[in-house]
Structures are given as structure tokens and as C-alpha cells.
Amino acid sequence: MLEIRNLHAEIDGKPILKGVTLAVKPGEVAAIMGPNGSGKSTLSYVIAGKDEYEVTKGEVLLDGENILGIDPDQRAAKGLFLAFQYPLEIPGVATMTFLKAALNAQRKKRGEEEIAPADFIRSVNRVADKLGISREMLRRALNVGFSGGEKKRMEILQMALFEPRMCVLDETDSGLDIDALRIVAEGVNALRAKDRAFLVITHYQRLLSHIVPDTVHVMADGRIVKSGGPELASELEAKGYADFAAQTAA
Amino acid sequence: MPAVQETVDRVRAIDVDQYRWGFSTSIESEKAPKGLSEEVIGFISGKKGEPQWLLDWRLEALRRWRTLEEPNWARVHHPKIEYDELYYYAAPKKGGGPASLDEVDPELLKTFEKLGIPLKEQAVLAGVEGARVAVDAVFDSVSVATTYKEELAKAGVIFCSISEAVREHPELVRKYLGSVVPVTDNFFATLNSAVFTDGSFVYLPKGVRCPMELSTYFRINEQNTGQFERTLIIADEGSYVSYLEGCTAPKRDENQLHAAVVELIALDNAEIKYSTVQNWFPGDKEGKGGIYNFVTKRGDCRGKNSKISWTQVETGSAITWKYPSCILRGDNSQGEFYSIAVSNGHQQVDSGTKMLHLGKNTVSRIISKGIAAGHSDNTYRGLVSAHRKASGARNFTNCDSLLIGQDCGAHTVPYIESKNASAVFEHEATTSKIAEDQLFYCTQRGLNEEEAVALIVNGFVKDVLQQLPMEFAVEAQKLIAVSLEGSVG
Ligand SMILES: Nc1ncnc2c1ncn2[C@@H]1O[C@H](COP(=O)(O)OP(=O)(O)OP(=O)(O)O)[C@@H](O)[C@H]1O
Ligand SMILES: [Mg+2]
């Protein structure tokens, strides 16, 4: 579903991704772990198309199509979703308004009809209830004055509403209390499907005990330095990244 | 939000550099000779069959004007205006004033149709379900049609062109004209007093709540023509009216001058709500052409418990110089100013308000949202003052500026003068930018950049849009989106 080949990217002339190669199959949940500053968020931004990053080499294929040349909104319409590590605030724009505008923008780009208002409200309410998001919160301006955990939950709400096929989650677990973590993990698990894939960036085994990954990749200094099964996550939790840091330095 | 969606569709449908209202109508017109002189003023006054007192009033204004200098304190720059190169009067030809819509030149009606003006009553009904709008349309210098006149007359409301008011209701005009904005007020107001050509007149008798929204559309069509309309609204005791003006002008390479004067008078317990959607041609991408919009608008809360509220959505004009103000004379009177000023390209906006607290327990509220994009400059300039006797005066001011891109500027220039120790004035101001990260977040969710900007801007101006009558809020939202087109990417 998602294939990243020898991806190099830099910002202001500073190389950050130095040859990332990674494939995620339909139905798969892949986790990426790695020390602070190793380039995990950068990778997620490059996949989603943030234009400050210059891709100097490599490809990102979504369903076999190189998406590096197309705008972020087009990528979203093709079913790519990024849950941000730090979700942005949009003052004055009610969450409902934002959700509807975004959903319809995606639908239109796919040549679909706008969603009927009643269907829209029903869908939003359904996912909001599951994620413990109140109606009052949906009326508030998007992410404005939301707590860290509420913002993360709102990201999952959007993911559930848009039903993307390729979901990238950047540290969705950080800042969540235990109950919220469980709720978010359930939200993700409920979306697991044969034709949907996840790339979950996290620092903690904790999340991966709720969302059990099929594969775990370790990123260090802009590269994937080790890949394995779920056991790799526990190993990392026990030993830390020291070994990998040494590997890349060598 | 569907409105945003629709906006974007509309934007897509038109060429990027195309001012949507930029067509001109080929109608034979009758012009006064070029330039400004006693003769020209005599010509205008004669055309309108004005009484001697008004001609004298105009001539006095002309004399005063010749002694005045163009003001230079606003943060705007433009080449010298050659007042003698302008035409001060242009009327679409074809007999005298039309008595009914049937007599109006069909070309003209077509123009209004293109402007989307609900001139025909059916159109009004079709466009605005439940609500009705009476329209006075001013084309260059004359008022061409006023709808719903009869129904308004039944309620006792007078709504007509100012020229007609001079003929039909001279006692009212004579009593109130220039009583809020005196002939000598400022350079442009004085010029207007000398040469004003048409505009609207509204009188609400005691205790009458106007049964519908009143509205005027202004359009400058002729080349090298200034537009100098004069609007006078009087709300007698206990009455209420909501009034909206909209403005457009065709695309021209030359700059065109618009120097209007609006006077509002609210007597005891009366309320006037005055909304403006200003969309004069802003000039092209390089800053060529566009309207110079030098306007004096002032409301006088003359009676106790009276209220005047100004709402403006300013997206057009090459230069805007305008400060709709309230004189809070009556005790417990209230003044409000809600403003959205959008500038893009090379537009220059210097706008704001004055709230002059004279009476006791007077309250004013100012919410200003400036949005600057492109190479534009956007200044909020406001004065809040309390007179010695204005005990208990209160003001709340909030001015926010939003910058889009690197090359524009936003400035806030508040003046506060209080001569009464019990007056409480609060002032808040913020300047923010649309962050790249915010845009990226929105685009990741499927909105393109233009849709994202429109959405963020709508959020920014929401507090003010809510003050507009519903149907105009939607229109204003579209206008804002069109004006900001091409401001990113
Ligand atoms: N705009 C920028 N300008 C300069 N350096 C940047 C910029 N964005 C990221 N970097 C650098 O790129 C490197 C990778 O950052 P990135 O955010 O991708 O790391 P991360 O793996 O997500 O870290 P964390 O675990 O802390 O979230 C860091 O050294 C960071 O300082
Ligand atoms: Mg990160």
C-alpha cells in the first residue's frame, strides 16, 4: 500500500532523511520507533507533502503511484491521513464546520457527491460518542483551548470520519492518560481492516500493547536501522536505543 | 462549510485576475462640463431643480473647499488628484427621472442584474425568502429606481433619493442636512457638500419599526467621473431601521474618486443599523487603477437611549479612507462599529471609527478585523473620547489583524482621550499570521490552499459577520474569499 524507496529529504540544506526504505502492506500495522530527532516526524511530513522539506532522492508510492509530485490535499483525497504530533488550532472555525468542509473537499476531489447534512451529523456523532468527545466540544473552534489529550482524540475522530486507507499516526499516544490511551487504541483497532494500513510512530511499548503491530521498525539518524516483529518493541523498551545509535555512528 | 465550498467554486469559475463586477455599460450619458466651478454646481443644482437655499449651500461649500488642503495624516499614498480633470455629474440619458421600473433603460436593468441586485420585486422575493429588501439604486450620479416605495409609504417610512427628498420633503432635508457632518467638516466632506449628486434619504416617523431591510446599491460607470453621493437617515423617536449599502465599479485604468457623506440621526429611543459591503474596483495586480474611496460617515445619537451601529465589510477600492463614527450625545446612548477590512494586491486601507462620548452612561463597542495580503497596507485608526460630562461612559475595543504573506503590513493606531474619571475604556489588539503549519494542517485534511485560507479567514472575521443580516453575511463571505484569491502559493 505504502512504499518508501531510498528517501532522502532535507530542510534548509540540512539532510534529515538519509535513505529511508520501508513498505507497508494493506491490512498491516507498522510501528516506527526511534530516538528524538531521528527524523520520524519529518518522514510523516514528507509522506503527507509538507513543502518546506525538499526531497532530494527517492520515491514515496501510494498504491504504486509516486505521490511526491502532488499536493497534500490531493494526497488526502487519495486516502492518506496524518494524525499530527502537534495538531494545529483554527480559531473561530467550529469543529463541525471544519470537519464538513474537509470531508466534502475530499469527496469532491474524488468526484463524489457532497455528504447529506443529516448523514454527516449522524456520522460525526457516532464516532464522537465512541471516542468520548462531547457535542459541546464539536461546537467549539477546532483544537482551540483543547487539552493535549483532547487534541489527539480529535485527530482520531477525523481519521475515523474520513476513513482513509493509509493512516500515519505521529505520537498520538504522547500526552494521553491511561483511559484516553485505551479509547484511542480502540478507535484505531476498530478501523483495522484488510484494505487499510497504519504507520504508527511512537516512543512507547505501552501503545503497542493496545495496538499490536505486525512489524516494528527502528529509525535512527534518518534511516531505518532495524526491522522486526512486535518483540522488537519490547526489546527496545528494555535496552533503549544505545545499540542502534552506535550502529549508525559506526 | 457549504458557503466556503460555494465560494471556492465561484472563484474557480472566474478568471483569476478578473474583477467580477468589472463590466461597463454602454449607455449614453449626460455629463456636466469637466472640472469644478460655480457653473458646474449651478448645472448640477439646475438639473435637479433644486431650491435656491440648497444652491447657496453648495456654493458656500465650494468657497470653503477652495481654502482647504487635502488631508495627509492617513497612512496612504497616491499621486495628486487633479480635481479639475474630473466630471462631477453624469446621468444616464433618457428623459427625466423614471417614474417606474418600466421606464428604466433596459441596459441599466441588465447591469443591475449582472450585479446581482434584486431590483425587481420578484427577484427580491425569490432571493431572500421571508425577508424583503427595498432597494434604491444609484448609477453614477442619479438614483434610478426605488422599489417597495408604496408599501413603505403605508408604514409612513420615506425612502427615496435625496434629490427627490429635496423636492418632496424640503423641511426635513433642510433641518437635518449637514447637521451631523457640517459643510466645513473636512476636505472631502466639503467637496461632497458642493457637488453631491445623489444618494438615499430615509425618514422613519415616531415609533415605526421599518417593515423591511432598506438597501442602496451604488455603481460608478462613467469614465473620469467622481461619485459623490449623500445619504441622510433620520430615525425619529422610538423607530428602528436596518439599512445596507453595496458598491461596485467597473474596471478602469484610471483612478476614480468616490467621496461620499453619510449622516445618521437617531432621536430618543431610536435605533439605526447601517451595514456596508464595499467592493469598488481595487485596481489590477500591479496597482493600476481602482477607486479612491474617501468617505465621511457619521451617526449622531442625538436622543437618549438611542443606538447606532455601523457594520462594514470593505474589500474593494485602491485606497480606503473612512471612519464611520458615532456621536453619543444622548444619555445612555450606544454606538457600535464592526468592521472587516480586507486588502490585497496594492490596496491601501486606513479605516476605523470615532466614538465620541458626550452623554452620561454612554456605551460603545468596536470590533475591527483587518486582513492584509499581497503588497497591501491595512491600518486601523480609532478614537475613543469621553467628554467631561460623560460620567459612566464605557468603551470596549478589540482590533485584530491577520497577515497573509510577507509583503503586507498591518498597523493599529488607537487614540484614547478621557476627560471624565469615571469613564472605563478597554482596548485589546492582536496581530497574527496565517501560519504555514496551519495551512498544511488544513491541506492534509483535503482542503486546497485557497479553501484553507478562506476557512481560516472566515473564522477570523466570524464575530463581525454575525452582525450582518443573514443574506448579506453569505455575500460578504464570498466577497472576502474572492478578494483574497491568489494570496497564497
Ligand atoms: N524546520 C526545521 N529546521 C531545522 N531543523 C529541523 C526542522 N524540522 C526538523 N528539524 C530537525 O530534523 C531532525 C528530525 O526532526 P523530527 O521532528 O523529524 O524528529 P522526530 O524523530 O520526530 O523526533 P521526536 O521523537 O522528538 O518527535 C531534528 O534534528 C530536528 O531538529
Ligand atoms: Mg516527532
Side-chain angles (χ1 to χ4, degrees):
Chain A
M1 170 147 291
L2 181 71
E3 211 183 328
I4 300 165
R5 291 184 189 155
N6 192 27
L7 186 64
H8 290 251
E10 55 184 53
I11 186 155
D12 301 332
K14 177 182 158 193
I16 298 177
L17 300 184
K18 303 170 184 173
V20 177
T21 297
L22 179 74
V24 187
K25 291 197 284 290
E28 181 179 336
V29 174
I32 296 186
M33 304 183 81
N36 295 131
S38 56
K40 303 181 299 297
S41 293
T42 302
L43 176 64
S44 71
Y45 286 149
V46 172
I47 295 171
K50 194 173 187 186
D51 68 1
E52 280 130 276
Y53 296 91
E54 198 194 335
V55 174
T56 49
K57 216 194 237 172
E59 288 175 324
V60 175
L61 309 178
L62 183 65
D63 297 323
E65 177 196 6
N66 189 354
I67 54 171
L68 287 178
I70 69 173
D71 288 338
D73 56 310
Q74 297 290 351
R75 300 187 197 189
K78 288 181 188 296
L80 179 72
F81 182 87
L82 168 62
F84 282 56
Q85 182 172 0
Y86 304 106
L88 279 294
E89 303 184 353
I90 315 288
V93 178
T95 301
M96 277 302 234
T97 306
F98 180 87
L99 296 176
K100 197 166 167 194
L103 181 60
N104 281 330
Q106 292 188 22
R107 292 174 72 111
K108 204 161 88 206
K109 290 190 179 92
R110 291 194 292 259
E112 297 164 16
E113 294 265 299
E114 285 202 356
I115 188 168
D119 292 342
F120 169 73
I121 291 168
R122 212 173 307 123
S123 313
V124 176
N125 287 345
R126 187 168 39 82
V127 283
D129 289 347
K130 273 203 203 134
L131 293 164
I133 291 170
S134 69
R135 302 289 141 89
E136 185 266 339
M137 210 156 115
L138 293 171
R139 282 192 292 270
R140 276 160 62 187
L142 182 68
N143 291 334
V144 178
F146 289 16
S147 75
E150 287 168 342
K151 287 182 184 171
K152 296 296 178 71
R153 260 190 268 180
M154 194 54 80
E155 294 291 282
I156 301 304
L157 179 141
Q158 294 181 50
M159 185 170 84
L161 184 69
F162 301 153
E163 303 181 321
R165 291 177 315 113
M166 182 64 229
C167 310
V168 181
L169 282 71
D170 190 1
E171 294 198 29
T172 303
D173 53 334
S174 17
L176 293 184
D177 64 34
I178 299 169
D179 293 338
L181 182 71
R182 190 177 37 78
I183 293 170
V184 164
E186 279 168 11
V188 172
N189 285 330
L191 287 171
R192 289 178 84 148
K194 275 209 298 294
D195 57 351
R196 180 173 291 131
F198 292 84
L199 189 60
V200 180
I201 298 169
T202 182
H203 285 294
Y204 305 106
Q205 160 66 25
R206 209 175 55 148
L207 176 70
L208 301 181
S209 62
H210 287 95
I211 307 171
V212 181
D214 301 298
T215 48
V216 175
H217 304 272
V218 181
M219 189 161 185
D221 194 27
R223 286 186 201 96
I224 302 297
V225 293
K226 183 159 189 177
S227 302
E231 72 291 343
L232 185 53
S234 338
E235 195 182 314
L236 282 171
E237 185 105 327
K239 295 205 220 148
Y241 296 112
D243 286 0
F244 301 109
Q247 255 174 30
T248 45
Chain B
M1 145 188 318
V4 172
Q5 202 51 59
E6 205 180 310
T7 304
V8 172
D9 290 347
R10 283 243 205 142
V11 171
R12 284 280 134 71
I14 59 177
D15 180 42
V16 173
D17 196 23
Q18 196 176 318
Y19 174 69
R20 202 171 112 198
W21 299 265
F23 52 86
S24 76
T25 309
S26 48
I27 295 171
E28 256 196 287
S29 79
E30 199 176 336
K31 279 184 187 172
K34 200 149 85 173
L36 201 49
S37 63
E38 276 80 3
E39 291 68 46
V40 168
I41 286 172
F43 175 90
I44 294 170
S45 191
K47 270 273 161 217
K48 298 184 169 297
E50 283 175 0
Q52 187 63 36
W53 69 264
L54 191 50
L55 177 60
D56 293 344
W57 196 80
R58 288 174 178 278
L59 291 172
E60 173 59 17
L62 179 65
R63 272 191 291 278
R64 296 302 291 254
W65 182 74
R66 285 186 170 141
T67 69
L68 298 176
E69 296 278 342
E70 210 176 280
N72 59 7
W73 44 262
R75 201 185 171 98
V76 297
H77 308 279
H78 55 82
K80 198 173 169 332
I81 299 171
E82 298 297 344
Y83 291 93
D84 282 326
E85 294 302 310
L86 290 176
Y87 289 97
Y88 290 84
Y89 181 86
K93 233 181 201 161
K94 260 217 175 162
S100 78
L101 271 180
D102 304 337
E103 285 177 37
V104 174
D105 187 328
E107 272 287 302
L108 205 57
L109 286 180
K110 250 189 257 161
T111 302
F112 284 122
E113 229 172 80
K114 274 193 241 172
L115 289 168
I117 297 171
L119 192 61
K120 293 230 174 81
E121 302 182 358
Q122 310 93 294
V124 175
L125 286 166
V128 192
E129 211 179 309
R132 287 170 306 161
V133 181
V135 182
D136 184 25
V138 177
F139 196 90
D140 283 330
S141 305
V142 289
S143 179
V144 288
T146 307
T147 57
Y148 274 117
K149 215 165 173 171
E150 278 164 38
E151 190 165 339
L152 287 168
K154 238 185 272 163
V157 177
I158 304 169
F159 178 37
C160 61
S161 72
I162 193 121
S163 312
E164 189 178 333
V166 168
R167 290 192 302 270
E168 309 287 328
H169 311 281
E171 65 306 331
L172 284 173
V173 176
R174 203 167 179 178
K175 181 167 173 195
Y176 290 105
L177 187 74
S179 74
V180 187
V181 178
V183 170
T184 53
D185 192 77
N186 69 70
F187 183 84
F188 298 112
T190 305
L191 175 63
N192 174 288
S193 302
V195 302
F196 76 86
T197 36
D198 223 325
S200 296
F201 176 86
V202 179
Y203 174 77
L204 285 115
K206 283 185 191 167
V208 170
R209 222 189 133 80
C210 191
M212 61 192 80
E213 298 269 345
L214 301 183
S215 159
T216 300
Y217 276 86
F218 296 106
R219 179 167 173 86
I220 301 177
N221 195 54
E222 280 295 314
Q223 226 157 337
N224 302 323
T225 305
Q227 180 151 344
F228 305 92
E229 83 267 359
R230 184 120 195 160
T231 294
L232 178 58
I233 299 179
I234 304 137
D236 213 324
E237 293 173 21
S239 63
Y240 167 85
V241 64
S242 168
Y243 180 92
L244 183 121
E245 64 170 359
C247 324
T248 55
K251 233 167 136 165
R252 300 238 185 249
D253 287 343
E254 317 80 38
N255 295 106
Q256 285 174 290
L257 178 63
H258 174 248
V261 172
V262 175
E263 298 179 279
L264 311 181
I265 297 124
L267 301 181
D268 288 359
N269 303 306
E271 179 175 349
I272 302 174
K273 203 170 147 62
Y274 193 104
S275 313
T276 303
V277 176
Q278 185 266 114
N279 180 33
W280 300 115
F281 179 52
D284 68 10
K285 273 192 181 149
E286 275 72 50
K288 202 161 183 252
I291 301 290
Y292 291 165
N293 190 30
F294 301 140
V295 169
T296 305
K297 292 183 165 172
R298 196 172 303 153
D300 189 355
C301 286
R302 210 165 277 186
K304 55 178 191 295
N305 306 317
S306 56
K307 179 171 175 183
I308 288 179
S309 111
W310 298 100
T311 304
Q312 60 173 20
V313 178
E314 303 278 322
T315 61
S317 298
I319 301 179
T320 299
W321 179 102
K322 128 177 213 207
Y323 315 89
S325 306
C326 296
I327 303 169
L328 302 168
R329 202 185 298 274
D331 290 347
N332 306 316
S333 60
Q334 295 180 45
E336 293 176 336
F337 175 73
Y338 298 101
S339 170
I340 298 170
V342 180
S343 56
N344 197 359
H346 291 265
Q347 284 177 279
Q348 307 173 57
V349 178
D350 194 300
S351 184
T353 183
K354 288 188 275 187
M355 292 291 172
L356 310 176
H357 293 256
L358 306 180
K360 292 190 189 40
N361 301 317
T362 45
V363 179
S364 63
R365 184 177 162 88
I366 298 171
I367 310 276
S368 160
K369 306 280 182 180
I371 300 156
H375 295 268
S376 68
D377 237 317
N378 203 319
T379 301
Y380 167 82
R381 188 183 302 277
L383 166 69
V384 179
S385 77
H387 188 264
R388 214 163 23 82
K389 292 181 181 153
S391 22
R394 274 175 297 146
N395 165 267
F396 173 77
T397 299
N398 170 268
C399 339
D400 296 328
S401 311
L402 185 68
L403 297 168
I404 303 175
Q406 310 298 324
D407 304 318
C408 50
H411 320 275
T412 303
V413 191
Y415 304 90
I416 295 174
E417 297 169 7
S418 180
K419 298 205 170 96
N420 186 301
S422 69
V424 180
F425 294 166
E426 286 174 74
H427 182 93
E428 285 174 2
T430 66
T431 300
S432 49
K433 280 187 85 117
I434 294 192
E436 287 294 329
D437 286 352
Q438 245 178 346
L439 280 180
F440 174 60
Y441 183 78
C442 295
T443 53
Q444 204 298 306
R445 299 301 142 92
L447 298 160
N448 66 33
E449 288 210 336
E450 240 149 44
E451 293 166 323
V453 168
L455 191 73
I456 293 169
V457 167
N458 277 339
F460 178 73
V461 301
K462 193 183 78 187
D463 299 349
V464 175
L465 277 189
Q466 280 170 348
Q467 300 298 327
L468 283 172
M470 240 303 264
E471 58 276 25
F472 297 116
V474 173
E475 187 61 28
Q477 210 170 36
K478 289 178 192 164
L479 257 183
I480 292 167
V482 173
S483 316
L484 287 173
E485 218 181 291
S487 59
V488 288

